[in-house]
Amino acid sequence: MSELVHILNGPNLNLLGRREPDTYGRTTLADIERRCHAAAARLGLRVDFRQRNEEGALVADIHDAIEAGSGGIIINAAAYTHTSIAIHDALRAFDGLIIEVHLSNIHARESFRHRSLIAPLADGIIAGLGADGYELALQALAWRLIEHMDA
Ligand code: DQA
Protein backbone atom coordinates (compact mmCIF):
# COMPACT_ATOMS: atom_id res chain seq x y z
CA MET A 1 0.00 0.00 0.00
CA SER A 2 1.59 3.31 -1.06
CA GLU A 3 1.85 6.23 1.36
CA LEU A 4 -0.73 8.98 1.14
CA VAL A 5 0.44 12.61 0.90
CA HIS A 6 -1.77 15.69 1.07
CA ILE A 7 -0.83 18.72 -1.05
CA LEU A 8 -2.70 21.76 0.23
CA ASN A 9 -2.85 25.12 -1.52
CA GLY A 10 -4.11 28.39 -0.13
CA PRO A 11 -5.89 31.49 -1.40
CA ASN A 12 -5.45 32.89 -4.90
CA LEU A 13 -3.39 29.94 -6.09
CA ASN A 14 -6.38 28.95 -8.25
CA LEU A 15 -5.42 32.01 -10.34
CA LEU A 16 -1.92 30.77 -11.13
CA GLY A 17 -1.00 31.29 -14.75
CA ARG A 18 -2.93 34.58 -14.87
CA ARG A 19 -1.93 36.04 -11.51
CA GLU A 20 1.27 38.16 -11.45
CA PRO A 21 3.09 35.94 -13.97
CA ASP A 22 6.38 37.80 -13.44
CA THR A 23 6.33 36.56 -9.84
CA TYR A 24 4.53 33.23 -10.09
CA GLY A 25 5.14 32.12 -13.70
CA ARG A 26 2.69 30.91 -16.34
CA THR A 27 2.13 27.42 -14.95
CA THR A 28 -1.45 26.85 -13.83
CA LEU A 29 -2.47 25.01 -10.67
CA ALA A 30 -3.99 22.30 -12.89
CA ASP A 31 -0.53 21.86 -14.50
CA ILE A 32 1.06 21.59 -11.04
CA GLU A 33 -1.56 19.05 -9.98
CA ARG A 34 -0.87 16.94 -13.10
CA ARG A 35 2.88 17.09 -12.44
CA CYS A 36 2.34 16.07 -8.81
CA HIS A 37 0.20 13.06 -9.74
CA ALA A 38 2.77 11.94 -12.33
CA ALA A 39 5.67 12.37 -9.86
CA ALA A 40 3.74 10.59 -7.09
CA ALA A 41 3.06 7.62 -9.37
CA ARG A 42 6.81 7.35 -10.14
CA LEU A 43 7.68 7.65 -6.44
CA GLY A 44 5.09 5.20 -5.13
CA LEU A 45 3.00 7.83 -3.33
CA ARG A 46 -0.71 8.66 -3.50
CA VAL A 47 -1.62 12.32 -3.63
CA ASP A 48 -4.70 14.19 -2.41
CA PHE A 49 -4.32 17.64 -4.02
CA ARG A 50 -6.53 20.55 -2.91
CA GLN A 51 -6.86 24.35 -3.14
CA ARG A 52 -8.93 26.55 -0.82
CA ASN A 53 -9.48 30.28 -0.62
CA GLU A 54 -10.89 30.14 2.94
CA GLU A 55 -8.72 29.74 6.04
CA GLY A 56 -11.21 27.42 7.78
CA ALA A 57 -11.39 25.16 4.74
CA LEU A 58 -7.61 24.75 4.84
CA VAL A 59 -7.86 23.89 8.55
CA ALA A 60 -10.51 21.26 7.67
CA ASP A 61 -8.20 19.84 4.98
CA ILE A 62 -5.46 19.43 7.59
CA HIS A 63 -8.00 17.61 9.82
CA ASP A 64 -8.79 15.35 6.83
CA ALA A 65 -5.07 14.58 6.44
CA ILE A 66 -4.91 13.68 10.16
CA GLU A 67 -8.02 11.46 9.90
CA ALA A 68 -6.73 9.77 6.74
CA GLY A 69 -3.39 8.94 8.41
CA SER A 70 -1.51 10.83 5.73
CA GLY A 71 2.27 10.40 5.87
CA GLY A 72 3.02 13.96 4.84
CA ILE A 73 1.57 17.36 4.09
CA ILE A 74 3.05 19.62 1.43
CA ILE A 75 1.55 23.04 2.07
CA ASN A 76 1.62 26.30 0.20
CA ALA A 77 -0.72 28.27 2.45
CA ALA A 78 -0.11 31.40 0.31
CA ALA A 79 -0.95 34.59 2.26
CA TYR A 80 -2.17 32.58 5.28
CA THR A 81 1.45 31.44 5.72
CA HIS A 82 2.17 34.83 7.20
CA THR A 83 -0.94 35.26 9.35
CA SER A 84 -2.74 32.08 10.33
CA ILE A 85 -2.47 30.80 13.89
CA ALA A 86 -5.39 28.46 13.08
CA ILE A 87 -3.40 26.72 10.33
CA HIS A 88 -0.33 26.64 12.58
CA ASP A 89 -2.37 24.99 15.36
CA ALA A 90 -3.95 22.45 12.99
CA LEU A 91 -0.50 21.48 11.67
CA ARG A 92 0.73 21.00 15.26
CA ALA A 93 -1.87 18.22 15.57
CA PHE A 94 -0.45 16.41 12.50
CA ASP A 95 2.04 13.62 13.27
CA GLY A 96 3.50 13.21 9.78
CA LEU A 97 6.08 15.17 7.84
CA ILE A 98 5.42 18.76 6.80
CA ILE A 99 7.05 20.50 3.85
CA GLU A 100 6.31 24.18 3.26
CA VAL A 101 6.43 25.24 -0.39
CA HIS A 102 6.34 28.65 -2.02
CA LEU A 103 6.61 29.34 -5.73
CA SER A 104 8.40 32.63 -5.12
CA ASN A 105 11.35 33.32 -2.82
CA ILE A 106 9.39 34.93 0.02
CA HIS A 107 12.63 36.17 1.62
CA ALA A 108 13.50 38.25 -1.44
CA ARG A 109 10.12 40.00 -1.37
CA GLU A 110 8.26 42.42 0.95
CA SER A 111 9.16 42.14 4.66
CA PHE A 112 5.61 41.00 5.57
CA ARG A 113 6.31 37.80 3.60
CA HIS A 114 9.52 37.01 5.51
CA ARG A 115 7.72 35.63 8.55
CA SER A 116 6.07 32.22 8.25
CA LEU A 117 3.91 30.72 11.02
CA ILE A 118 4.33 27.34 9.32
CA ALA A 119 8.14 27.36 9.18
CA PRO A 120 8.71 26.43 12.86
CA LEU A 121 6.69 23.23 12.28
CA ALA A 122 8.14 22.31 8.89
CA ASP A 123 10.58 19.47 8.31
CA GLY A 124 11.71 21.36 5.23
CA ILE A 125 11.00 24.52 3.26
CA ILE A 126 11.28 25.07 -0.49
CA ALA A 127 10.85 28.60 -1.85
CA GLY A 128 11.68 30.31 -5.10
CA LEU A 129 11.82 27.29 -7.42
CA GLY A 130 8.37 27.77 -8.94
CA ALA A 131 6.31 24.67 -9.71
CA ASP A 132 9.46 22.50 -9.44
CA GLY A 133 9.23 23.02 -5.67
CA TYR A 134 6.19 20.77 -5.42
CA GLU A 135 7.93 17.93 -7.22
CA LEU A 136 11.07 18.36 -5.12
CA ALA A 137 8.93 18.25 -1.98
CA LEU A 138 7.33 14.99 -3.14
CA GLN A 139 10.77 13.53 -3.83
CA ALA A 140 11.94 14.53 -0.33
CA LEU A 141 8.82 13.01 1.26
CA ALA A 142 9.25 9.77 -0.68
CA TRP A 143 12.83 9.40 0.58
CA ARG A 144 11.84 10.13 4.16
CA LEU A 145 8.68 8.02 4.22
CA ILE A 146 10.53 5.05 2.75
CA GLU A 147 13.29 5.56 5.37
CA HIS A 148 10.58 5.57 8.06
CA MET A 149 9.15 2.29 6.71
CA ASP A 150 12.61 0.67 6.99
CA ALA A 151 13.12 1.92 10.54
C1 DQA B 1 3.23 32.34 -2.09
C2 DQA B 1 3.92 33.53 -1.40
C3 DQA B 1 2.94 34.27 -0.49
O1 DQA B 1 3.58 35.35 0.16
C4 DQA B 1 1.78 34.80 -1.31
O2 DQA B 1 0.82 35.41 -0.46
C5 DQA B 1 1.15 33.80 -2.20
C6 DQA B 1 1.99 32.79 -2.85
C7 DQA B 1 4.17 31.65 -3.11
O3 DQA B 1 3.85 30.52 -3.48
O4 DQA B 1 5.17 32.22 -3.53
O5 DQA B 1 -0.04 33.85 -2.46
O6 DQA B 1 2.88 31.40 -1.10
Side-chain angles (χ1 to χ4, degrees), residues 10-13 16 19 23-24 76-82 101-106 109-110 112-113 128 134:
N12 302 306
L13 293 174
L16 281 181
R19 172 194 182 205
T23 302
Y24 298 117
N76 181 354
Y80 291 136
T81 304
H82 316 299
V101 169
H102 299 284
L103 296 150
S104 64
N105 178 358
I106 54 176
R109 300 182 62 196
E110 304 95 320
F112 62 81
R113 296 184 204 276
Y134 287 78

Side-chain angles (χ1 to χ4, degrees), residues 50-96:
R50 305 179 186 191
Q51 186 274 331
R52 307 290 190 184
N53 290 316
E54 304 82 16
E55 184 177 15
L58 275 166
V59 169
D61 284 341
I62 296 165
H63 296 174
D64 288 349
I66 294 168
E67 290 302 320
S70 196
I73 293 178
I74 295 169
I75 184 161
N76 181 354
Y80 291 136
T81 304
H82 316 299
T83 62
S84 178
I85 297 170
I87 290 171
H88 171 100
D89 282 348
L91 287 171
R92 287 186 88 95
F94 178 69
D95 277 340

Side-chain angles (χ1 to χ4, degrees), residues 15-71:
L15 298 179
L16 281 181
R18 288 181 284 155
R19 172 194 182 205
E20 302 181 69
D22 290 347
T23 302
Y24 298 117
R26 295 261 173 218
T27 308
T28 66
L29 195 64
D31 293 333
I32 293 176
E33 181 171 4
R34 265 191 296 278
R35 276 184 67 176
C36 286
H37 282 295
R42 280 196 308 275
L43 293 164
L45 298 172
R46 281 176 299 135
V47 160
D48 189 331
F49 190 100
R50 305 179 186 191
Q51 186 274 331
R52 307 290 190 184
N53 290 316
E54 304 82 16
E55 184 177 15
L58 275 166
V59 169
D61 284 341
I62 296 165
H63 296 174
D64 288 349
I66 294 168
E67 290 302 320
S70 196

